[in-house]
Amino acid sequence: MKFRTEIERTKAPFAIEHDTPLLFLGSCFSDEIGSRLADDGFKVLHNPMGPLYNPASVAACLDRVCSGSLYTTQELANGPRGFHCLDYCTRYSGADAAAVLDAVNGDIAGISEFVALSPLVFITLGSAYVYRIAATGRVAGNCHKFPADCFSRELLTVEQAADALHSAVQLLSIRGVNHIVFTVSPIRHLADGLHGNNISKATLLLAIDSVVERYPGLCSYFPSYEIVLDDLRDYRFYASDLKHPSPMAVDYIYEFFSDYYFSSKTRQAAAEGRKLTLAARHRSIL
């Protein structure tokens, strides 16, 4: 008898080599997979701006990366810690506007340099809900703990989410990126309510599906969401908050990822890379 709906482990139409540059953008789930790839010795850049959960914020980030448009003081918001760039995580804030601008523009430039290597790009989306800044109408990537009345909350339509992803694909393609893999984070956004979380994830899945159909050679989908929700399908594979996949679940997804994308040569190189990482972390007990 079968007690699970296991996802068939086929091989991707392309292989990730150990020297393939890998760029991960999106929700904090990108960090989970990206950090494991880094431990295996891959050249990977994951979420250098911090987590970005919705399609609009990912597209806005890539617009900055690909256009070279620098942030200015006028685009910073005044808030609890002085100056804030609400497009990204709270580390882009502080009393010195020039320092905040140096940090955000420097990290954007770093992504641009990495994109010039024509990396394989993974975009992991977490939510179709967005928070618009009341004063400007722009979507905030992070609210920086500003008062709730500074924002309006809305659910992107499938068309709006797909348009944002289409923009991201076009920008990356112009910069020479040959393939973009989309995935939906299995992290449950319970603050949206169970029904709201499911509607949000469904919006992302439909938007991604439309983009992958539009660009079949340029874009594809990796089923991290389905691996947790349909294959593992058990609370024992979640952390104690019942929202984030447990380390065991992420390891299982990474194993699936490896089976799908790695050649035997890449798998061997990754194993050697992991040994070197573990050796570098080892500290002798005196």
Side-chain angles (χ1 to χ4, degrees):
M1 292 186 293
K2 293 185 67 175
F3 295 97
R4 291 168 50 212
T5 51
E6 294 185 57
I7 298 174
E8 184 181 358
R9 298 200 182 193
T10 58
K11 296 298 291 185
F14 60 91
I16 295 177
E17 304 300 335
H18 200 241
D19 59 354
T20 301
L22 305 170
L23 173 61
F24 280 75
L25 294 174
S27 82
C28 48
F29 183 74
S30 291
D31 288 314
E32 294 282 5
I33 300 300
S35 62
R36 283 164 173 76
L37 286 162
D39 286 347
D40 283 356
F42 288 86
K43 185 172 186 176
V44 58
L45 183 64
H46 55 93
N47 278 356
M49 311 303 294
L52 295 169
Y53 298 99
N54 69 79
S57 291
V58 171
C61 174
L62 288 172
D63 183 54
R64 294 279 180 175
V65 168
C66 296
S67 70
S69 176
L70 299 178
Y71 282 91
T72 64
T73 305
Q74 290 70 32
E75 293 177 279
L76 301 180
N78 292 318
R81 289 178 297 281
F83 297 92
H84 298 250
C85 181
L86 297 178
D87 289 348
Y88 310 109
C89 66
T90 55
R91 71 168 174 265
Y92 299 110
S93 63
D96 186 344
V100 174
L101 290 174
D102 284 347
V104 68
N105 287 328
D107 288 345
I108 288 288
I111 303 175
S112 182
E113 292 174 4
F114 199 84
V115 168
L117 302 175
S118 297
L120 176 59
V121 177
F122 287 83
I123 295 177
T124 302
L125 302 172
S127 177
Y129 283 98
V130 299
Y131 288 83
R132 291 195 183 274
I133 305 169
T136 65
R138 289 171 53 191
V139 172
N142 191 296
C143 292
H144 286 221
K145 297 185 178 179
F146 275 44
D149 61 6
C150 292
F151 307 94
S152 62
R153 181 175 178 269
E154 68 183 69
L155 177 67
L156 295 176
T157 66
V158 173
E159 292 74 19
Q160 288 173 323
D163 285 347
L165 299 182
H166 166 76
S167 174
V169 169
Q170 288 291 301
L171 289 164
L172 290 169
S173 178
I174 290 170
R175 285 292 303 273
V177 169
N178 295 315
H179 201 85
I180 302 141
V181 180
F182 290 100
T183 188
V184 172
S185 170
I187 295 172
R188 306 163 78 210
H189 290 249
L190 296 183
D192 298 327
L194 290 174
H195 181 66
N197 175 70
N198 289 336
I199 293 295
S200 171
K201 300 292 189 183
T203 299
L204 297 176
L205 290 166
L206 287 169
I208 289 171
D209 195 54
S210 70
V211 173
V212 171
E213 285 187 359
R214 185 171 183 177
Y215 304 100
L218 181 59
C219 301
S220 60
Y221 177 73
F222 178 76
S224 56
Y225 181 79
E226 290 80 2
I227 291 170
V228 174
L229 271 292
D230 296 314
D231 185 343
L232 298 182
R233 199 176 177 82
D234 194 301
Y235 277 114
R236 66 194 170 103
F237 295 110
Y238 279 89
S240 59
D241 63 3
L242 301 182
K243 296 186 293 186
H244 293 77
S246 68
M248 182 188 297
V250 180
D251 286 341
Y252 183 78
I253 295 171
Y254 186 60
E255 179 185 286
F256 192 106
F257 181 98
S258 303
D259 288 345
Y260 189 61
Y261 288 114
F262 294 177
S263 64
S264 56
K265 180 181 177 182
T266 302
R267 187 179 297 279
Q268 183 178 355
E272 292 300 319
R274 179 62 63 102
K275 289 179 182 178
L276 293 173
T277 297
L278 293 175
R281 289 177 179 169
H282 178 72
R283 294 291 182 270
S284 299
I285 299 175
L286 301 178

